Amino acid sequence: MAEQFDLVILGSGSTAFAAALTAQELGKTAVMTEARIVGGTCVNRGCLPSKNLIEAARLLHDARHPRYPGLTPCEMAVDVQTLVAQKDEVIHDYRANKYASLVGGQIHLEHGRVQFVDAHTLEAGGTRLVGQHILIATGSRPVIPDIDGLQDVPYLTSDLLTSDEPVELKDLPRSLLIMGGGYIALELGQMFHRFGTEVTILERSAQLLAHGYEPEVGLTLAEIFADEGIRVLTHATVAQVRQDREEVVASARVRRQAQEFRAERILIATGRRPNTDTIAIERAGISVNAQGEVEVDAFLRTNVSHIFAAGDVIGRETGSQMATPVGSRDGGIAAHNALAGGPLRRVDHRVIPRVIFTDPQAAVVGLTEEAAVAAGHRCWCNTLPMSLVPRAGAICNTQGFVKMVADANTHEVLGVFMVGESAGEVIHEAAMALHFRARLQDFIDLLHVYPTMAEALKLAALSRFKDPRKLSCCAE
Ligand SMILES: Cc1cc2nc3c(=O)[nH]c(=O)nc-3n(C[C@H](O)[C@H](O)[C@H](O)COP(=O)(O)OP(=O)(O)OC[C@H]3O[C@@H](n4cnc5c(N)ncnc54)[C@H](O)[C@@H]3O)c2cc1C
């Protein structure tokens, strides 16, 4: 016998939970389905565990490298098993409080791999689920490149941060090769290095963070990583991988020169792809694009009128990005549009702030200079070093820069890119400004607390009219 629901949701990540909670608020029934662990990527193996361990690695690094003369470096002992155990405890608590405890009443959960049977019916773990409406929220998984020999070596992926699954990494490798130069490669690469692993990053493109970021972001982080002792190679294409006793050997071409790299482990961080190829999506007649992302309109409807999709599984459709807050917002919108019976809500992907949790952090929002020009703007842009920001000098941490992209005619601020201390907090001021289509003068008129890193934004805006090197203390 099939069970009937107002909304059947494929997946149980942040996107799925947002949809299930909205369904509950509307007095409807919803069922989520999960093949792995309830809660999905963010809580179990993404945002939460990575930020937990990255902060521990930062404490270790700061103790070894105090920024102030007069503070003596010291070596903290690292107990990896205890660190991993506390990370698992943080995940367990968070998962229990923010996910598992919400299941019940009108929100159901079915364990097992889910697949379409037809456009209204799904099967998960031997149970048939019939939905008046359906939401695809199956997220994404690491892309494993087709490299000779890779299938024969025990490679790591970003799943290494998981808990309660065999792929969890519980020991520190002595040395690590990382394939890829995107945000996951950088966050995990710096973390492992700081815990004591010898890290080499191999990036195929001409620079780190090659897509969607101002070039200065990747170049600055590459310099900071190199100064810290992390080996970063760009123009590096791995052609073959093999195991040689205790080591993985990667044969690569680096700027057309053949080179071999050896390490105890290899981590594949070459991007993520949507989980649309494992759910028999064709049985429901749903269209996916060339990247395998579910095609949706601005109301998150697929080409099949009662089926919606949101979160990582839509990739860059409608200008979306793979990030937890985007899925959490859109899951609610999709459920509303499916179930509320009122006016439809439209997604808004114009302003999506992003942070890379390296140290210093990189934070971005809005259009790059190149994208702004392509969109028809005549641009004014300026890049200022963090050394001009009073707080950066005061706390002896002047690494990084801020870049502002604005329309040269209207002065509307179109994009902000920052590498620096607390960039992940500062970027919210810029995001709010872009949300309200603020102009350079709005950043200047706002009194900023002195001395804060957010003054970087005011200084960048001021630099359109004055030389920020010739200002007194409060950026006026
Ligand atoms: C290492 C790492 C760090 C990250 N850090 C951040 C960060 O700091 N900030 C941020 O915003 N984002 C971060 N992300 C991205 C973020 O985790 C994702 O954007 C977000 O979790 C996507 O949510 P989702 O609900 O769309 O998909 P998911 O959370 O992936 O949920 C989909 C669920 O569907 C399940 N599923 C898939 N196929 C099936 C099937 N056939 N049957 C049953 N179940 C299925 C999966 O097991 C999964 O649990 C990070 C990701 C990684 C990997």
Side-chain angles (χ1 to χ4, degrees):
M1 251 275 288
E3 293 182 47
Q4 312 266 343
F5 295 91
D6 295 314
L7 185 65
V8 175
I9 305 170
L10 291 85
S12 79
S14 340
T15 308
F17 265 90
L21 288 168
T22 301
Q24 180 172 258
E25 281 163 19
L26 293 169
K28 306 285 184 178
T29 56
V31 61
M32 293 180 284
T33 51
E34 182 53 63
R36 292 178 71 176
I37 306 177
V38 64
T41 304
C42 182
V43 62
N44 291 307
R45 47 192 175 271
C47 328
L48 200 69
S50 61
K51 273 77 237 184
N52 169 275
L53 289 176
I54 284 168
E55 182 63 10
R58 191 179 71 84
L59 296 177
L60 199 58
H61 177 82
D62 285 353
R64 270 187 211 137
H65 305 279
R67 298 193 305 270
Y68 292 79
L71 295 182
T72 311
C74 63
E75 196 58 47
M76 289 186 196
V78 183
D79 175 348
V80 178
Q81 268 74 33
T82 305
L83 269 177
V84 170
Q86 69 74 39
K87 178 260 295 176
D88 289 347
E89 211 176 304
V90 170
I91 294 176
H92 290 161
D93 285 354
Y94 204 82
R95 186 168 69 216
N97 294 330
K98 297 284 175 192
Y99 293 90
S101 66
L102 304 178
V103 176
Q106 284 154 260
I107 301 180
H108 301 249
L109 176 67
E110 199 64 48
H111 289 280
R113 183 157 294 284
V114 71
Q115 286 203 327
F116 278 96
V117 176
D118 59 42
H120 276 282
T121 316
L122 290 122
E123 191 169 281
T127 308
R128 290 233 159 166
L129 308 166
V130 176
Q132 200 183 358
H133 293 91
I134 291 170
L135 172 65
I136 306 174
T138 40
S140 61
R141 64 176 189 272
V143 168
I144 305 303
D146 185 16
I147 291 175
D148 187 23
L150 187 58
Q151 63 284 357
D152 302 322
V153 302
Y155 57 80
L156 299 166
T157 68
S158 57
D159 277 358
L160 67 90
L161 295 170
T162 189
S163 67
D164 310 315
E165 292 183 304
V167 282
E168 180 178 15
L169 188 71
K170 299 210 171 194
D171 295 304
L172 268 187
R174 209 178 47 259
S175 51
L176 181 67
L177 289 177
I178 302 182
M179 270 187 69
Y183 84 96
I184 292 177
L186 300 189
E187 288 185 359
L188 298 186
Q190 189 181 44
M191 179 194 87
F192 274 111
H193 168 77
R194 290 178 167 193
F195 281 137
T197 299
E198 193 184 293
V199 172
T200 304
I201 295 176
L202 302 172
E203 164 58 42
R204 195 174 52 172
S205 307
Q207 63 172 81
L208 300 177
L209 301 169
H211 308 291
Y213 296 88
E214 283 293 350
E216 289 94 328
V217 178
L219 293 170
T220 302
L221 287 180
E223 272 173 30
I224 290 170
F225 273 35
D227 286 349
E228 207 176 309
I230 302 167
R231 200 170 168 212
V232 177
L233 290 106
T234 52
H235 300 277
T237 307
V238 176
Q240 199 213 27
V241 175
R242 68 190 154 84
Q243 188 77 34
D244 181 15
R245 289 183 295 267
E246 300 299 300
E247 287 183 322
V248 180
V249 185
S251 308
R253 294 197 80 76
V254 184
R255 294 179 189 273
R256 301 208 196 110
Q257 300 275 319
Q259 277 194 49
E260 268 195 359
F261 299 91
R262 288 173 174 268
E264 187 185 331
R265 302 299 304 264
I266 185 164
L267 166 62
I268 308 298
T270 46
R272 296 180 67 81
R273 63 141 297 151
N275 288 321
T276 48
D277 54 341
T278 49
I279 54 174
I281 199 166
E282 64 289 346
R283 291 188 193 151
I286 299 161
S287 302
V288 295
N289 66 20
Q291 284 71 46
E293 301 159 352
V294 182
E295 287 180 356
V296 288
D297 65 10
F299 305 102
L300 298 168
R301 293 178 297 200
T302 69
N303 60 312
V304 181
S305 63
H306 66 283
I307 303 182
F308 294 71
D312 278 15
V313 82
I314 66 165
R316 293 195 157 262
E317 282 280 311
T318 68
S320 189
Q321 297 191 27
M322 290 187 183
T324 301
V326 182
S328 299
R329 164 71 53 78
D330 288 358
I333 291 177
H336 171 92
N337 290 346
L339 303 172
L344 296 183
R345 285 176 64 194
R346 187 180 279 274
V347 291
D348 181 0
H349 293 145
R350 187 175 67 84
V351 180
I352 302 179
R354 293 295 303 258
V355 176
I356 303 177
F357 290 85
T358 46
D359 180 20
Q361 296 173 346
V364 303
V365 65
L367 299 180
T368 60
E369 184 177 354
E370 194 184 325
V373 170
H377 293 278
R378 193 169 71 82
C379 276
W380 170 84
C381 312
N382 202 12
T383 305
L384 297 183
M386 267 315 143
S387 54
L388 290 179
V389 179
R391 175 158 181 88
I395 62 168
C396 306
N397 191 355
T398 54
Q399 287 178 315
F401 70 90
V402 60
K403 176 169 184 173
M404 199 168 258
V405 179
D407 184 289
N409 300 326
T410 65
H411 288 183
E412 180 181 340
V413 177
L414 304 170
V416 172
F417 297 80
M418 179 169 168
V419 174
E421 169 67 27
S422 303
E425 309 298 329
V426 172
I427 204 66
H428 289 90
E429 176 185 330
M432 185 66 96
L434 265 67
H435 181 72
F436 288 109
R437 298 191 182 277
R439 290 158 206 278
L440 293 170
Q441 196 61 44
D442 295 313
F443 282 94
I444 297 167
D445 287 345
L446 181 74
L447 282 179
H448 283 70
V449 176
Y450 176 86
T452 56
M453 294 305 291
E455 284 184 294
L457 301 177
K458 181 167 183 157
L459 279 167
L462 258 173
S463 73
R464 173 76 173 98
F465 310 102
K466 294 180 180 178
D467 181 351
R469 287 168 184 81
K470 298 194 175 140
L471 297 172
S472 178
C473 69
C474 272
E476 281 291 348

